[in-house]
Every structure is written in structure tokens, then in C-alpha cells.
């Protein structure tokens, strides 16, 4: 049981790290992120703004 729990924690941590790295790369390239909202709408969001809002980055130069 604990093995499965540890695996899930490691998986979530790995996915979070991959997402953060992808956002940083998109911000460096000034590329947008495409997101799906719970109501089914699809929107385009600035990767730089997402990093500022969710991870506290203020300048993409410091990525």
C-alpha cells in the first residue's frame, strides 16, 4: 500500500516539475499556453503571466 502511495507522490512531483519547466521554456520563447476551462472553453494565456501568478516569478530573465 505504501509503495503505491509513494509512487503517486513521486509521479505528481515529477509532473509538477515538468509543467514548471515547460512554462519557463514557453515564457523564454514568448509562446502562449492553451488551457481548457472547466466549462469547456479553450483560452490562450501568456506563459509569463502564468509563471508570475502561480510561481512568483517576476522576470523571465531569472528563469
Amino acid at each position: 500500500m505504501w509503495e503505491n502511495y509513494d509512487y503517486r507522490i513521486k509521479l505528481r512531483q515529477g509532473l509538477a516539475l515538468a509543467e514548471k519547466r515547460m512554462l519557463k521554456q514557453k515564457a523564454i520563447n514568448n509562446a502562449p499556453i492553451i488551457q481548457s476551462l472547466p466549462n469547456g472553453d479553450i483560452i490562450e494565456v501568456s506563459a509569463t503571466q502564468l509563471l508570475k501568478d502561480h510561481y512568483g516569478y517576476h522576470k523571465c530573465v531569472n528563469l
Side-chain angles (χ1 to χ4, degrees), residues 5-40:
Y5 178 76
D6 290 341
Y7 172 76
R8 288 185 294 175
I9 288 175
K10 288 179 183 179
L11 181 63
R12 287 185 185 139
Q13 289 173 339
L15 289 171
L17 180 60
E19 177 184 40
K20 195 171 181 180
R21 287 178 179 168
M22 186 248 342
L23 285 173
K24 286 180 180 182
Q25 191 61 43
K26 291 263 189 182
I28 288 168
N29 294 326
N30 203 25
I33 302 297
I34 307 301
Q35 287 187 323
S36 175
L37 300 178
N39 66 1

